[in-house]
Amino acid sequence: MNAHDSRTKPSRRFRLLALLGLMMGALLLGACQRGDQPWRLTNVSGHMPDLDFKLVDDHGKEVSGADYRGKVVILYFGYTHCPDVCPLTLAQLHQVLTKVGPAADNVRILFVSVDPARDTPDIMHAYVNAFDPRAVGLSGTPRAVEALSKRYRSAYTREPDKGDGQYEVSHSSALYLFDRDGKARLLSTPANPQDDLVHDLQLLLDKGA
Amino acid sequence: MKHRPFFAGLLIAGSLFASHAFAADADQIKASQAWIRVMPGTLPAGGYVTLANHSDHAVSLKGASSASYGHVMLHKSSTEGGMGRMEMVDSLSIPAHGTATLSPGGYHLMLMDAAKPVKVGDKVSLTLNFADGSTLVTDFDAKPANTVDAADAPMDHAHH
């Protein structure tokens, strides 16, 4: 376990630094382009890859990023045994979509589990439905989840088992926003006010972007 | 022989004096806005409460227990550095004539191994444990999973 931890920690730190570096770069770029787009969140247009993955949804159906074209997507990494931060984020997203109004029917929250060992499609189904009907629970093989995580420079680490089968997973708290064509457009962090998320989602929806 | 009764008497008197002079910590604490986020099945849930301390000294919350959950632990969440993580904490200090709040995203009780699934609308009894050994039994309101905070009423979407 210790050897595993020491191997993953540098990797996690590296990916975390990469994410922070990307966010800083995006902020600088956003500043330069301030007059170009009225975004309030961090603009990552052209700096992150298109939405693409091969996972299983909470109905047990194999899905890919292409299945969500036509929808504005909010991508979030978490897990069901996270009893505080993840439910809070999803509850806030429910609040956001409620504020957006009927247009939010064209939004999908993709909740990707970083704990595939415990988060089966059935558990994910009950979980996401407790928050919002537009939320989709995605799980898959550890390899597939890691591939998606790396694609967006997200990081997650399984903390040491406490001996009773209980363990926590530290994970990125960022939200990744994609337009209807699956292009990565915006990055949101817990520090961003909820109204900024509402505002930018409405823009993504209105522009048909 | 003459000293033994004297010492015993002193100990008894001292003990009585101490217990009479200082009220239990739990008696100085008022709990309000206590709620639990209802999670599907028996997934771990967060418990939240506001604790007001009416005494002249800091009071330390050490944890909680409940007949409804096999394990209850005091935890703190953070999203520093862009990472969501959670850690156990030994205690939470409630300052003299002050308030400590357990709320989503911060300090909370992690409730695990539910004896049976909790339903929205239930009142779940939790026993709050303080450092001096005293306890405070409080009913926590079971709220929907997508509740954002204690003031968030179901169907109420007013701006906070």
Side-chain angles (χ1 to χ4, degrees):
Chain A
M1 189 66 71
N2 284 335
H4 177 73
D5 288 345
S6 64
R7 280 202 303 272
T8 56
K9 278 193 164 73
S11 176
R12 178 184 72 174
R13 285 203 199 93
F14 175 78
R15 282 182 282 167
L16 181 60
L17 287 173
L19 174 64
L20 291 175
L22 176 74
M23 290 174 64
M24 289 175 64
L27 283 170
L28 289 174
L29 183 69
C32 293
Q33 295 186 337
R34 189 175 295 113
D36 191 25
Q37 297 285 358
W39 306 114
R40 296 181 185 173
L41 302 176
T42 302
N43 185 357
V44 296
S45 301
H47 294 278
M48 273 188 164
D50 293 359
L51 185 65
D52 188 26
F53 55 77
K54 292 192 191 307
L55 293 170
V56 177
D57 73 8
D58 55 270
H59 295 281
K61 173 187 169 192
E62 292 188 2
V63 291
S64 70
D67 290 313
Y68 299 95
R69 298 293 187 265
K71 302 293 188 188
V72 169
V73 164
I74 302 171
L75 180 69
Y76 177 58
F77 294 90
Y79 66 112
T80 69
H81 281 71
C82 164
D84 188 49
V85 168
C86 296
L88 176 60
T89 299
L90 292 171
Q92 288 172 333
L93 286 178
H94 167 70
Q95 213 170 48
V96 162
L97 296 196
T98 301
K99 289 183 178 181
V100 167
D105 286 346
N106 286 305
V107 178
R108 291 293 177 267
I109 300 165
L110 301 188
F111 178 71
V112 178
S113 172
V114 294
D115 184 16
R118 288 185 293 190
D119 291 346
T120 60
D122 284 351
I123 289 175
M124 290 290 271
H125 184 72
Y127 188 83
V128 294
N129 279 343
F131 291 95
D132 193 279
R134 292 152 294 207
V136 180
L138 297 176
S139 54
T141 64
R143 181 188 297 268
V145 171
E146 185 171 1
L148 181 58
S149 169
K150 284 181 171 176
R151 185 175 177 84
Y152 296 107
R153 301 172 180 81
S154 177
Y156 65 96
T157 304
R158 174 169 159 166
E159 304 295 335
D161 195 305
K162 294 169 183 169
D164 55 357
Q166 299 291 338
Y167 57 87
E168 309 302 338
V169 185
S170 298
H171 55 86
S172 167
S173 53
L175 301 170
Y176 304 83
L177 277 69
F178 299 80
D179 65 23
R180 295 180 202 258
D181 297 317
K183 304 293 184 186
R185 302 299 298 275
L186 301 162
L187 197 59
S188 174
T189 71
N192 288 117
Q194 189 178 88
D195 282 347
D196 284 1
L197 190 46
V198 173
H199 174 274
D200 285 8
L201 272 175
Q202 283 169 335
L203 284 182
L204 283 174
L205 289 161
D206 288 350
K207 290 176 181 292
Chain B
M1 285 299 293
K2 285 189 175 181
H3 292 299
R4 186 179 297 273
F6 177 78
F7 277 125
L10 179 63
L11 286 173
I12 292 171
S15 177
L16 288 172
F17 176 79
S19 64
H20 179 73
F22 300 104
D25 280 347
D27 296 334
Q28 307 300 312
I29 301 298
K30 178 176 170 53
S32 63
Q33 295 190 311
W35 65 285
I36 287 170
R37 189 188 299 282
V38 174
M39 301 305 298
T42 55
L43 284 171
Y48 311 103
V49 62
T50 298
L51 301 171
N53 178 3
H54 298 298
S55 75
D56 293 333
H57 66 283
V59 170
S60 178
L61 175 72
K62 296 292 287 183
S65 60
S66 173
S68 301
Y69 292 95
H71 290 94
V72 181
M73 290 189 295
L74 185 55
H75 273 212
K76 184 182 183 185
S77 295
S78 77
T79 52
E80 292 173 9
M83 294 287 286
R85 58 166 49 83
M86 187 172 66
E87 59 184 357
M88 262 186 72
V89 299
D90 291 334
S91 64
L92 172 60
S93 179
I94 311 159
H97 296 291
T99 300
T101 301
L102 286 73
S103 62
Y107 288 99
H108 60 278
L109 297 169
M110 185 178 180
L111 314 170
M112 295 182 294
D113 304 327
K116 62 177 182 177
V118 174
K119 299 184 301 297
V120 172
D122 286 351
K123 287 193 183 300
V124 179
S125 177
L126 266 71
T127 301
L128 304 176
N129 304 320
F130 298 95
D132 71 338
S134 61
T135 61
L136 174 65
V137 177
T138 301
D139 279 346
F140 282 59
D141 293 332
K143 297 193 176 206
N146 57 14
T147 301
V148 168
D149 57 38
D152 186 14
M155 305 310 296
D156 175 9
H157 299 298
H159 182 73
H160 293 285

